[in-house]
Amino acid sequence: MSLISQRPFRAPHHTISEVALVGGGATPQPGEISLAHNGVLFADELPEFNKTTLEVLRQPLEDRKITISRAKYTIEYPCSFMFVASMNPCPCGYYGDPTHHCVCMPGQIQRYMNKISGPLLDRIDIQVEITPVPFKDISQAAQGEPSAVIRERVIKARQMQEQRFKDVKGVYSNAQMSERMIHQFAEPDAEGIELLRSAMERLSLSARAYNRILKVARTIADLEESDVVKQQHLAEAISYRNLDRGDWAERGV
Ligand SMILES: [Zn+2]
């Protein structure tokens, strides 16, 4: 009998300590990242978290496990979680808002953004900016695709991935692919490679961002039930790296 039948969802408050987040303490205890194992760790208002506390997330996000070494013990906890975070565009919250005026001082927005380090941002695969929708548009909105239909598509894509990695121990999804597996399973077609090359140069993306774009593109292709990672899948994956593209605090206030 398994003790946990539902994937966990953990949403620690931004005042959380480093130990409570990653684990440790006088008597070793798992932290929120391990309590979120195989589930979601949600950080609301990311820049409000202590910067050094956030930095300790970097290694576990790569390794999917954490080793805690103290004088009296060394212990390893699993922590394969999906990291989800939200933030305002600026301290006042109205930067880029079509209906309100942002009152932040020049430099204030950049300082706010700088609370999240480049290396941590690099590890966030999908970074999207959401602008508020005016009420009249919400009330007039045509019926979108129902969540139940999207759910079916996601389940199907997950099944494709399970099938893809059936011979690889401990790997169930595209996100868990090693670099070698990316070459094997997510190698784009010639047009895709060309698009990636120019995006790398134009946006000065890191090698880590490059691999992460390929993984996201593989998933977009899976959602369309495409065996091949095509140019359009890559274009979509690249478009989800809003913050990398530096078009945030540079559009002029
Ligand atoms: Zn503002």
Side-chain angles (χ1 to χ4, degrees), residues 153-166 172 174 218 221-227:
R153 197 159 63 231
V154 171
I155 290 172
K156 209 167 189 178
R158 292 293 290 213
Q159 284 166 347
M160 285 169 76
Q161 293 171 35
E162 261 178 52
Q163 186 61 26
R164 175 175 302 136
F165 304 119
K166 64 181 188 317
Y172 306 97
N174 294 335
R218 177 65 269 172
D222 288 345
L223 288 166
E224 286 186 5
E225 298 179 47
S226 166
D227 287 337

Side-chain angles (χ1 to χ4, degrees), residues 83-136:
F83 183 52
V84 181
S86 75
M87 65 187 287
N88 276 321
C90 67
C92 87
Y94 289 124
Y95 182 62
D97 189 308
T99 53
H100 290 80
H101 198 68
C102 167
V103 295
C104 299
M105 297 290 286
Q108 221 181 336
I109 298 175
Q110 196 59 53
R111 271 200 301 283
Y112 181 73
M113 287 300 301
N114 285 347
K115 287 188 176 179
I116 302 161
S117 76
L120 181 63
L121 263 188
D122 223 21
R123 289 167 169 84
I124 300 177
D125 297 348
I126 300 180
Q127 310 152 0
V128 283
E129 185 184 354
I130 299 165
T131 43
V133 181
F135 179 74
K136 65 173 176 47

Side-chain angles (χ1 to χ4, degrees), residues 194-218:
E194 183 51 33
L195 177 78
L196 255 182
R197 196 188 56 77
S198 74
M200 289 285 288
E201 285 173 9
R202 199 159 30 89
L203 311 170
S204 40
L205 296 173
S206 67
R208 183 176 288 113
Y210 180 90
N211 283 334
R212 287 179 175 265
I213 285 170
L214 282 171
K215 290 180 189 182
V216 172
R218 177 65 269 172

Side-chain angles (χ1 to χ4, degrees), residues 41-94:
L41 182 77
F42 176 56
D44 194 14
E45 274 302 312
L46 193 60
E48 300 297 327
F49 284 71
N50 182 307
K51 193 170 178 175
T52 44
T53 306
L54 287 181
E55 287 309 287
V56 296
L57 285 177
R58 280 161 50 178
Q59 210 50 48
L61 275 169
E62 292 286 306
D63 300 342
R64 298 175 186 272
K65 60 180 188 225
I66 179 128
T67 308
I68 300 156
S69 295
R70 296 285 180 271
K72 288 185 186 155
Y73 63 84
T74 294
I75 195 162
E76 189 181 285
Y77 291 119
C79 60
S80 183
F81 57 95
M82 186 185 284
F83 183 52
V84 181
S86 75
M87 65 187 287
N88 276 321
C90 67
C92 87
Y94 289 124

